[in-house]
Amino acid sequence: MAASDSKTLLKSDAVYKYILETSVYPREHECMRELRLITAQHPWGTMASSPDETQFLGMLLKILNAKNTLEIGVFTGYSLLATALALPSDGQIIAIDMKREYYEIGRPIIEKAGMAHKVDFREGPALPILNELVSEENNEGNFDFAFIDADKVNYLNYHERVLKLLRIGGIIAYDNTLWGGSVVAPPDEPLSERDRELAHATRKFNKAITADPRVEVSHLSIADGLTLCRRIA
Ligand code: SAM
Ligand code: CA
């Protein structure tokens, strides 16, 4: 597998394989493995997060002592299950996706893992659902963590809403913030229209949040780029 096909921007496939085989797969929850393998069979399977990334998110959630979380972009529920496994038994994830049919693929495995009670799945476009959450009493500042992994062109719209829901000290993790490295593609690089548009949106997003005084930012090169924003104001 060429580095460009794998779920990492690491230049060496051998090093990535080493990380997975040495530090990730031996500690992988059996239901995470099952869902990873089922998802890989799906025609859009590459949309799922990478195993090293979900391992990282799980540890981050524990360090944060996260209890109330939000996920935008669920697909088969692979990052959702990683989140559920890292939360305490009374933890909760509001999980939003336009397509329940994707979530239904992973739901039996989430149930088998004993995690279904933590998931509040909401089907529909994320923006109106977020607007509703923001308008509901008691939601403001009530969330510890959000994983944003849906339509990249809306990341800045999600940012404004999710910041209202997040407590001070809470973290928003934005996925795919390097978009396959296309953020640095020269103008004459043969990119598809969609990739060109997403590279532009991603560059705009990365600049805007770095300039946002309400958050601290850490841009990680794990997977396809993961940007952590910690709310400070
Ligand atoms: N977080 C998942 C994981 O790591 O396994 C992968 C999510 S996948 C990259 C993106 C998902 O976002 C798709 O399932 C798609 O249906 C959903 N999506 C795209 N645009 C959306 C929108 N505007 N509102 C809600 N969901 C959306
Ligand atoms: Ca992603």
Side-chain angles (χ1 to χ4, degrees):
M1 183 166 58
S4 55
D5 296 335
S6 68
K7 291 183 171 190
T8 180
L9 289 168
L10 255 185
K11 281 188 183 151
S12 162
D13 286 340
V15 172
Y16 187 49
K17 189 164 177 271
Y18 174 81
I19 292 172
L20 294 179
E21 290 179 354
T22 308
S23 312
V24 180
Y25 293 153
R27 302 294 293 261
E28 191 179 32
H29 189 286
E30 60 182 303
C31 292
M32 283 294 287
R33 176 179 150 81
E34 190 179 345
L35 185 49
R36 174 169 61 79
L37 296 178
I38 285 177
T39 303
Q41 304 297 317
H42 192 280
W44 296 105
T46 53
M47 286 210 296
S49 294
S50 64
D52 50 325
E53 183 179 20
T54 52
Q55 185 188 58
F56 170 74
L57 290 173
M59 185 179 283
L60 179 66
L61 285 156
K62 288 178 186 167
I63 293 168
L64 257 182
N65 277 323
K67 193 168 157 184
N68 282 326
T69 77
L70 195 63
E71 177 163 308
I72 305 179
V74 171
F75 189 39
T76 63
Y78 182 61
S79 52
L80 180 62
L81 177 56
T83 303
L85 287 166
L87 297 187
S89 55
D90 60 345
Q92 206 212 19
I93 311 155
I94 294 182
I96 305 169
D97 202 291
M98 288 197 313
K99 293 197 178 179
R100 182 181 287 272
E101 70 210 60
Y102 288 158
Y103 169 59
E104 289 300 330
I105 296 168
R107 196 169 57 88
I109 302 169
I110 293 173
E111 274 166 14
K112 187 163 134 188
M115 294 294 132
H117 67 284
K118 298 181 188 174
V119 178
D120 174 359
F121 180 82
R122 308 211 181 166
E123 185 182 25
L127 218 47
I129 295 176
L130 280 177
N131 285 339
E132 209 177 297
L133 284 173
V134 168
S135 70
E136 279 167 21
E137 232 179 291
N138 302 329
N139 276 342
E140 209 164 295
N142 198 34
F143 289 78
D144 305 299
F145 177 83
F147 183 51
I148 314 292
D149 191 17
D151 49 334
K152 318 304 168 198
V153 289
N154 264 317
Y155 273 18
L156 280 175
N157 290 324
Y158 297 149
H159 187 65
E160 285 310 314
R161 284 140 182 99
V162 175
L163 263 189
K164 292 197 173 100
L165 299 170
L166 202 72
R167 67 165 164 86
I168 303 264
I171 287 182
I172 314 175
Y174 290 97
D175 202 27
N176 304 95
T177 53
L178 293 171
W179 200 248
S182 65
V183 285
V184 293
D188 59 349
E189 180 120 339
L191 289 178
S192 67
E193 260 319 296
R194 181 171 176 268
D195 279 339
R196 198 168 294 285
E197 185 197 351
L198 289 173
H200 174 73
T202 304
R203 279 192 295 261
K204 191 173 156 201
F205 169 79
N206 290 335
K207 263 189 141 169
I209 52 154
T210 307
D212 186 341
R214 298 167 297 178
V215 292
E216 278 175 350
V217 174
S218 174
H219 199 166
L220 305 175
S221 55
I222 191 169
D224 189 29
L226 179 73
T227 301
L228 305 182
C229 289
R230 180 172 173 271
R231 186 177 167 205
I232 51 173

